[in-house]
Amino acid sequence: MVLVPVCTSYSWALAPAVTTSHPQTLSVSTAACCSAPGSRMDILETSKLVDEELYSRQLYVLGSPAMQRIQGAKVLLSGLQGLGAEVAKNLVLMGVGSLTLHDPYPTCWSDLAAQFFLSEQDLGRNRAEASQEFLAQLNRAVQVFVHTGDITEDLLLDFQVVVLTASKLEEQLKVGTFCHKHGVCFLVADAWGLVGQLFCDFGEDFTVQDPTEAEPLTAAIQHISQGSPGILTLRRDASAHCFCDEDLVTFSGIEGMVELNGCAPRPIRVREDGSLEIGDTTTFSPYLRGGAITEVKRPRTVRHEPLDTALLQPRVVAQSPQEVYRAYCLHQAFRALHKFQHLHGRLPQPWDVVDAETVVGLARDLEPMKGTKEEPLDEVLVRTVALSSAGVLSPMAAMLGAVAAQEVLKAISRKFMPLDQWLYFDALDCLPEDGELLHNPEDCTPRGCRYDGQIAVFGASLQEKLSCQHYLLQVGAGAIGCELLKGFALMGLGAGGSGGLTVADMDHVERSNLSRQFLFRPQDTGRPKAEVAAVAAQVLNPDLKITPLTYPLDPTTEHIYGDNFFSQMDGVAAALDSFQARRYVAERCTHYLKPLLEAGTQGTRGSASVFMPHVTEAYRAPASVAASEDALYPVCTVRHFPSTVEHTLQWARDEFEGLFRLSAEIINHYQQTSTSLADMDGPQTLTLLQPVLGVLRVLEDGTPFWLGPKQCPQPLEFDTSQDTHVLYVLAAANLYAQMHGLPGSQDWTTLKGLLKLLPQPDPQHLAHIFTGNLQLALASAETGPEQLKKLGDVLEVWSVGSPLKPLMFEKDDDSNFHVDFVTAAASLRSQNYGILPVNRAQCKRIVGQIIPAIATTTAAVAGLVGLELYKVVGKPRPLGAFRHSYLHLAGNYFSRWVPSAPATQTFHHLKWTCWDRLKVPAGQPERTLESLLAHLQEQHGLSVRMLLHGPALLYSTGWSPEKQAQYLPLRVTELVKQVTGRVPEPGLRVLVLELSCEGEKEDTAFPPLHYEL
């Protein structure tokens, strides 16, 4: 049997080797056990450098080494219009060491359309000085300075990265040349109207230490042969690996062939059968067992050209030849705009045809680009860029500012490949296709208001429409929700007339939110997110009318978010973190025919989608991902045959529940009721007593029981020199102390001393390792009246004691030992079964179901959502105007595409999509079931076979004549009440019914029947 420590005092807890109903002990062997990476001692050391609680989600994206480099970096940012403010906000949230702001210009009206640190009170005030204090409030660990003089060479030498926004080309060339010469990373970012530009120059010899976001590949070893080459066979559960020829690898945890452990990186070759050639192992010791192979990432070197060279020989980031050509045309358009600005001291006037033609002429006369295929200039594109170039838009600033900030992080941390070298992003698809603005330029002239930058692109008419909209922001105060709320406030959505915003979020502010959710401050911790975000958004735009709600939007709250509520909404913007929640909200939007704007992120990947009634398809969750979201590991696999780290973590999480929550709840229940165990709740009792039930088939074909994914567990000898062993006991002891209301202790040294004094467990009390399914089945069956009686006797001891405190697992409190216990337990169990353990951070992410997140991706997808909002609110647009978007900031991938049209179904003469419904008025007096069926036959030619309301069957042609005669005369609402036992909610306007009709095909899904009350 695998040996585990008996729980005889607060210093011991049930250990992770096996789980039966027998008393268990731990015996640990030093050969198979090593200090768990990411132990509490490691965490304490790391926390001195990185605030793990604050940056927890970001650390999963960047890692501690990159974060430490970021915290020591100095960045200069020149230009504090909307784009510069976005770059600054992202850098401060993500913890850059110091940020120096520079902007020689005063605040003007057009700035307020995108610069969220400025207000009407700042008009005429220096933009950098007005922004400094608000920026500093986002993260007090970041030093925020203002430089009021010119940008000199001495100043530039003091920074690792220099970013210019809203700058003239002459200044860009001067600063860029100096930075390239002296090894200072240099970026240029600009957003003019609906077109943005980003340029990176990290020098001629820039080394990227970690080029990709993916974790290094790792796999468990089954066997290694002695030979030249040595052949490494992977465990069966790791056979679907992604190793490639010439990958560099290293090894750890191997018993026997120890010469490979920690060796210098070795190249491999993948054989046809999936095994790996790892070089000469002839002279090495014979392989015994265990170990892991891990990929070693190769650094990559980047060579960037200086700006003066890159202007004429541009290397652009694009995904297709068509995108390359468009990027080259936009490159020329920007060069022409700089020329126009140099000649006239300003940008073209909004929708001024003469100015636009001047820009087109300047673009024609530019020196041709070198090293590119000669193609005619797209003059229509250049003209459109010029017509709208005077505009300042919050969504464009958010998108470009996010990408620019991510490139700054790449320069500082040397993590992820930088852009090579130009990125052009345009959203000209947002403009109306009828040329209305061209024929009505006065609609785009400045009004002396905070929306002037937006009016310059879309006109005052769209601004008025935006102000009268009423939108629901579902889970609207999370990371994406805060960014959406900021964008909507700047755009003026719901800021006038009958408009407004409703923010729904049931969560409370946590400290880990502060590195991404910029509407929150440390003093807001513990307060409802929706309420805090509503107040903060109104500071950004005092005209905004916003209602916070702290109820979830799900089937339990349809009395709140019902017909009356949705009738007041013009659309929904959602940022949900589960496919189940997304599906539900999408179904609500489809039911009420409301546009849905949806966004999500994971690490540096993000997506934004738009779903428009009758125009685009409705939201559909990816089937494979949605299915895996709710997938559970088989109980028997988790308890007895773990083969992956997820199995060990699930086991450890179950142990936490059983030891520190369920046991306390059962004892408390016993104290309160004094009932016998036989009368107590069966599932909870059996959870405590009998983790595994069921009959297991005995293998009769002679196949070894412990084979393939069934790894025979190896005993581990307890050793106080092993941090994981001590952490396991320390965490368990503190958790038991919490249950009993006793003070805990983090005194690692004292605990080690106490443990050394304790005797080792007596081997005669150790249980036996199962060698077959029959033994396992017999062991699992040994829970009956006798064991219930024994447990009852033990519980009698507690009948007069104080109630225990059941512990609810909390992942975000690093001082409560919850994650420590699960980490240590899972690590020990991994060692028992030869599974690669994970460190504490990885354990916390997996068990806590934490989605890695970073401020840049969040801001980018919010900007993309804002761009689609312009189309949704404006005049009706065809399918080709809308865009779904996907980006991967670490991989420099950006894609936007036209959504699919809704699928059309037919039945006889009827045609419909997911957005259609059959409407039947209830009438006065209300119609009967018989009348409803007759109406469907007469009006639509539908002979109803079955009629349902949710899962309730209201009518079936298969019923007996007597039953049909009983139901047909009933009024429909009476019928629903009789069948379901529920009265329709007050204010309900529609009963939704489902049809099945004679002659339908197997895949026919009729539109819902809306019975209008």
Side-chain angles (χ1 to χ4, degrees):
M1 180 101 204
V2 179
L3 311 179
V4 288
V6 176
C7 184
T8 55
S9 72
Y10 295 131
S11 298
W12 295 93
L14 291 177
V18 288
T19 48
T20 71
S21 57
H22 297 293
Q24 300 167 32
T25 41
L26 173 93
S27 179
V28 199
S29 71
T30 54
C33 187
C34 60
S35 257
S39 68
R40 173 165 283 266
M41 291 203 305
D42 296 328
I43 295 302
L44 292 175
E45 289 300 317
T46 303
S47 65
K48 296 176 184 177
L49 301 170
V50 178
D51 188 333
E52 188 186 76
E53 182 183 6
L54 177 62
Y55 299 114
S56 60
R57 303 323 189 247
Q58 182 173 309
L59 278 165
Y60 290 121
V61 182
L62 299 175
S64 291
M67 271 302 304
Q68 291 170 27
R69 287 192 285 268
I70 290 167
Q71 288 184 329
K74 299 174 70 176
V75 178
L76 172 65
L77 171 65
S78 179
L80 264 295
Q81 291 184 317
L83 176 54
E86 287 285 350
V87 175
K89 176 256 297 177
N90 293 328
L91 292 178
V92 171
L93 286 175
M94 293 187 293
V96 70
S98 75
L99 178 66
T100 298
L101 310 176
H102 170 264
D103 192 321
Y105 299 105
T107 302
C108 61
W109 277 114
S110 63
D111 294 330
L112 303 188
Q115 223 287 25
F116 42 88
F117 294 125
L118 303 177
S119 66
E120 285 87 343
Q121 287 72 37
D122 295 312
L123 291 171
R125 188 181 173 198
N126 179 271
R127 290 189 292 228
E129 293 176 355
S131 303
Q132 180 185 18
E133 178 54 30
F134 291 103
L135 264 170
Q137 290 175 7
L138 296 180
N139 190 342
R140 290 299 183 184
V142 177
Q143 295 178 296
V144 181
F145 304 106
V146 172
H147 176 72
T148 55
D150 294 334
I151 296 179
T152 64
E153 293 181 353
D154 287 341
L155 176 71
L156 294 172
L157 289 173
D158 198 32
F159 299 97
Q160 292 164 263
V161 185
V162 172
V163 185
L164 301 185
T165 74
S167 57
K168 296 178 180 178
L169 183 58
E170 295 79 10
E171 183 181 29
Q172 295 173 11
L173 288 167
K174 177 183 176 182
V175 174
T177 299
F178 181 86
C179 288
H180 186 88
K181 180 179 178 181
H182 291 87
V184 178
C185 294
F186 174 66
L187 292 90
V188 173
D190 274 313
W192 287 339
L194 285 162
V195 182
Q197 172 196 68
L198 182 59
F199 170 76
C200 295
D201 173 13
F202 293 177
E204 298 181 7
D205 189 22
F206 182 82
T207 301
V208 182
Q209 300 293 346
D210 188 354
T212 65
E213 189 172 10
E215 290 290 325
L217 296 173
T218 186
I221 299 169
Q222 182 70 37
H223 184 263
I224 307 173
S225 69
Q226 288 175 297
S228 182
I231 306 301
L232 184 149
T233 306
L234 298 174
R235 283 253 300 260
R236 185 181 302 178
D237 50 284
S239 57
H241 66 80
C242 297
F243 288 107
C244 300
D245 287 346
E246 299 306 316
D247 277 353
L248 295 179
V249 299
T250 189
F251 307 88
S252 61
I254 295 173
E255 295 183 47
M257 198 176 285
V258 294
E259 294 87 347
L260 286 174
N261 289 331
C263 68
R266 286 181 159 229
I268 61 170
R269 191 178 78 82
V270 182
R271 294 158 60 95
E272 288 186 5
D273 62 358
S275 61
L276 309 175
E277 295 180 4
I278 63 170
D280 190 355
T281 61
T282 306
T283 61
F284 292 173
S285 307
Y287 174 83
L288 293 178
R289 69 180 65 87
I293 178 173
T294 303
E295 174 194 18
V296 177
K297 288 191 174 183
R298 298 173 186 261
R300 292 179 59 181
T301 300
V302 173
R303 178 185 174 84
H304 280 168
E305 301 292 344
L307 179 60
D308 57 352
T309 302
L311 272 174
L312 296 178
Q313 294 179 278
R315 302 201 301 258
V316 298
V317 175
Q319 316 304 327
S320 68
Q322 294 80 11
E323 289 186 20
V324 171
Y325 169 66
R326 187 175 182 88
Y328 284 154
C329 292
L330 292 173
H331 185 78
Q332 297 298 74
F334 267 75
R335 291 177 66 195
L337 284 168
H338 276 298
K339 189 89 171 176
F340 183 97
Q341 192 176 36
H342 178 74
L343 293 172
H344 300 277
R346 60 173 176 83
L347 286 170
Q349 297 291 344
W351 295 93
D352 186 298
V353 176
V354 175
D355 281 356
E357 287 304 322
T358 302
V359 173
V360 172
L362 291 171
R364 286 196 207 105
D365 297 337
L366 286 171
E367 180 183 353
M369 294 182 293
K370 301 173 182 178
T372 62
K373 181 182 176 183
E374 280 238 23
E375 292 190 77
L377 181 69
D378 186 341
E379 295 188 2
V380 173
L381 176 61
V382 175
R383 184 177 296 108
T384 306
V385 171
L387 287 167
S388 57
S389 62
V392 179
L393 302 174
S394 168
M396 287 296 297
M399 171 62 190
L400 268 296
V403 182
Q406 188 68 52
E407 294 306 303
V408 173
L409 291 192
K410 292 177 184 179
I412 297 167
S413 67
R414 297 180 179 264
K415 187 176 179 74
F416 309 145
M417 293 295 291
L419 291 172
D420 187 31
Q421 288 184 262
W422 295 94
L423 174 69
Y424 284 93
F425 175 81
D426 80 272
L428 295 169
D429 43 83
C430 293
L431 294 173
E433 297 172 335
D434 56 9
E436 171 192 354
L437 298 172
L438 196 59
H439 302 300
N440 189 22
E442 59 273 11
D443 196 40
C444 301
T445 55
R447 265 63 174 172
C449 73
R450 65 178 303 119
Y451 307 115
D452 275 356
Q454 190 163 266
I455 289 172
V457 178
F458 295 110
S461 301
L462 179 63
Q463 191 61 54
E464 180 63 27
K465 288 184 179 179
L466 283 167
S467 68
C468 295
Q469 294 282 299
H470 200 142
Y471 261 69
L472 166 66
L473 222 59
Q474 170 56 14
V475 189
I480 299 175
C482 281
E483 289 290 337
L484 289 174
L485 199 51
K486 175 257 295 176
F488 291 169
L490 295 173
M491 295 165 71
L493 183 70
S498 59
L501 289 175
T502 298
V503 179
D505 196 316
M506 62 185 290
D507 287 340
H508 292 72
V509 179
E510 298 175 356
R511 190 162 181 268
S512 62
N513 301 146
L514 302 181
S515 66
R516 293 163 292 117
Q517 302 174 21
F518 90 106
L519 295 182
F520 306 145
R521 301 293 180 268
Q523 62 268 25
D524 298 320
T525 303
R527 297 180 58 200
K529 285 185 176 181
E531 295 176 6
V532 175
V535 173
Q538 285 179 314
V539 172
L540 299 180
N541 185 348
D543 295 330
L544 191 65
K545 289 174 285 185
I546 185 166
T547 303
L549 295 177
T550 56
Y551 311 103
L553 198 159
D554 60 30
T556 68
T557 56
E558 290 186 2
H559 61 290
I560 299 172
Y561 305 103
D563 293 351
N564 290 335
F565 178 86
F566 273 96
S567 68
Q568 302 171 41
M569 297 295 133
D570 293 296
V572 175
L576 299 154
D577 58 5
S578 79
F579 287 104
Q580 180 181 0
R582 289 177 179 180
R583 278 196 300 268
Y584 179 77
V585 171
E587 288 168 1
R588 294 284 83 195
C589 290
T590 304
H591 173 76
Y592 291 109
L593 297 179
K594 302 298 181 183
L596 171 63
L597 296 160
E598 195 271 337
T601 68
Q602 182 169 357
T604 65
R605 301 174 190 268
S607 65
S609 304
V610 56
F611 303 97
M612 195 70 181
H614 302 294
V615 180
T616 74
E617 62 184 350
Y619 172 83
R620 292 180 300 168
S624 59
V625 179
S628 66
E629 189 173 79
D630 301 319
L632 296 175
Y633 298 110
V635 172
C636 196
T637 298
V638 171
R639 309 300 288 192
H640 295 289
F641 312 121
S643 60
T644 68
V645 70
E646 286 79 11
H647 294 159
T648 66
L649 287 169
Q650 183 63 58
W651 180 89
R653 183 70 173 80
D654 293 344
E655 284 293 283
F656 181 95
E657 292 295 308
L659 293 172
F660 307 117
R661 183 177 70 83
L662 290 174
S663 59
E665 289 176 350
I666 288 177
I667 290 170
N668 290 346
H669 180 77
Y670 188 86
Q671 288 177 330
Q672 294 163 8
T673 62
S674 297
T675 57
S676 69
L677 282 176
D679 298 328
M680 290 176 65
D681 181 62
Q684 284 196 341
T685 304
L686 290 175
T687 298
L688 189 66
L689 291 175
Q690 193 176 356
V692 180
L693 288 175
V695 178
L696 301 176
R697 183 175 59 84
V698 179
L699 298 177
E700 298 177 352
D701 59 0
T703 303
F705 183 75
W706 297 109
L707 185 68
K710 292 182 180 179
Q711 294 294 310
C712 182
Q714 300 296 317
L716 306 175
E717 292 293 338
F718 184 79
D719 183 354
T720 56
S721 68
Q722 299 292 336
D723 290 345
T724 306
H725 300 190
V726 179
L727 176 62
Y728 179 77
V729 177
L730 179 70
N734 274 274
L735 293 174
Y736 275 121
Q738 292 171 30
M739 284 175 60
H740 291 275
L742 299 173
S745 171
Q746 297 191 26
D747 191 335
W748 192 282
T749 304
T750 301
L751 176 61
K752 276 190 172 185
L754 289 172
L755 291 174
K756 288 177 181 178
L757 298 176
L758 289 176
Q760 288 290 324
D762 188 342
Q764 68 178 348
H765 296 304
L766 303 181
H768 175 64
I769 293 179
F770 302 122
T771 58
N773 286 329
L774 179 58
Q775 293 180 20
L776 181 59
L778 291 174
S780 298
E782 292 175 3
T783 52
E786 183 178 346
Q787 284 195 312
L788 285 175
K789 182 179 182 305
K790 288 180 180 179
L791 184 60
D793 293 340
V794 174
L795 288 174
E796 284 294 330
V797 177
W798 296 94
S799 61
V800 295
S802 301
L804 300 181
K805 177 186 177 182
L807 303 184
M808 308 302 292
F809 185 78
E810 169 52 54
K811 65 182 184 296
D812 283 320
D813 182 354
D814 285 330
S815 66
N816 64 11
F817 286 96
H818 293 196
V819 174
D820 294 302
F821 174 82
V822 173
T823 301
S827 179
L828 290 173
R829 189 164 176 84
S830 295
Q831 294 168 44
N832 285 142
Y833 285 89
I835 298 168
L836 303 178
V838 294
N839 62 30
R840 186 182 189 278
Q842 293 168 318
C843 170
K844 181 176 178 179
R845 178 180 63 80
I846 296 170
V847 175
Q849 298 181 326
I850 294 173
I851 299 174
I854 193 167
T856 47
T857 321
T858 298
V861 297
L864 293 169
V865 166
L867 293 172
E868 296 307 305
L869 180 66
Y870 289 130
K871 307 169 189 177
V872 171
V873 174
K875 290 185 176 180
R877 305 290 297 273
L879 176 66
F882 295 97
R883 296 289 186 274
H884 289 335
S885 301
Y886 172 81
L887 56 84
H888 184 201
L889 297 180
N892 301 322
Y893 183 87
F894 308 88
S895 179
R896 301 175 74 225
W897 67 96
V898 176
S900 298
T904 301
Q905 292 200 63
T906 61
F907 181 76
H908 299 330
H909 63 286
L910 294 177
K911 286 187 178 181
W912 70 92
T913 72
C914 59
W915 298 104
D916 294 309
R917 57 268 292 101
L918 296 171
K919 296 182 180 180
V920 178
Q924 288 293 335
E926 185 191 349
R927 66 173 73 243
T928 63
L929 172 61
E930 185 174 26
S931 169
L932 174 61
L933 298 175
H935 177 88
L936 293 171
Q937 178 69 61
E938 294 166 6
Q939 297 297 316
H940 303 289
L942 298 175
S943 179
V944 177
R945 186 171 58 190
M946 283 195 299
L947 185 67
L948 299 96
H949 176 58
L953 181 62
L954 304 181
Y955 171 76
S956 171
T957 55
W959 284 348
S960 65
E962 294 78 14
K963 189 170 184 178
Q964 292 191 33
Q966 177 187 352
Y967 280 70
L968 287 170
L970 294 177
R971 306 203 183 280
V972 174
T973 53
E974 293 175 1
L975 173 62
V976 170
K977 178 181 177 182
Q978 182 171 321
V979 173
T980 65
R982 298 192 304 271
V983 179
E985 291 283 347
L988 186 68
R989 302 182 183 185
V990 170
L991 276 176
V992 181
L993 309 177
E994 295 179 50
L995 305 173
S996 176
C997 300
E998 300 289 347
E1000 69 178 62
K1001 296 180 181 178
E1002 187 175 340
D1003 59 347
T1004 302
F1006 284 99
L1009 170 60
H1010 280 205
Y1011 184 72
E1012 299 174 334
L1013 302 176

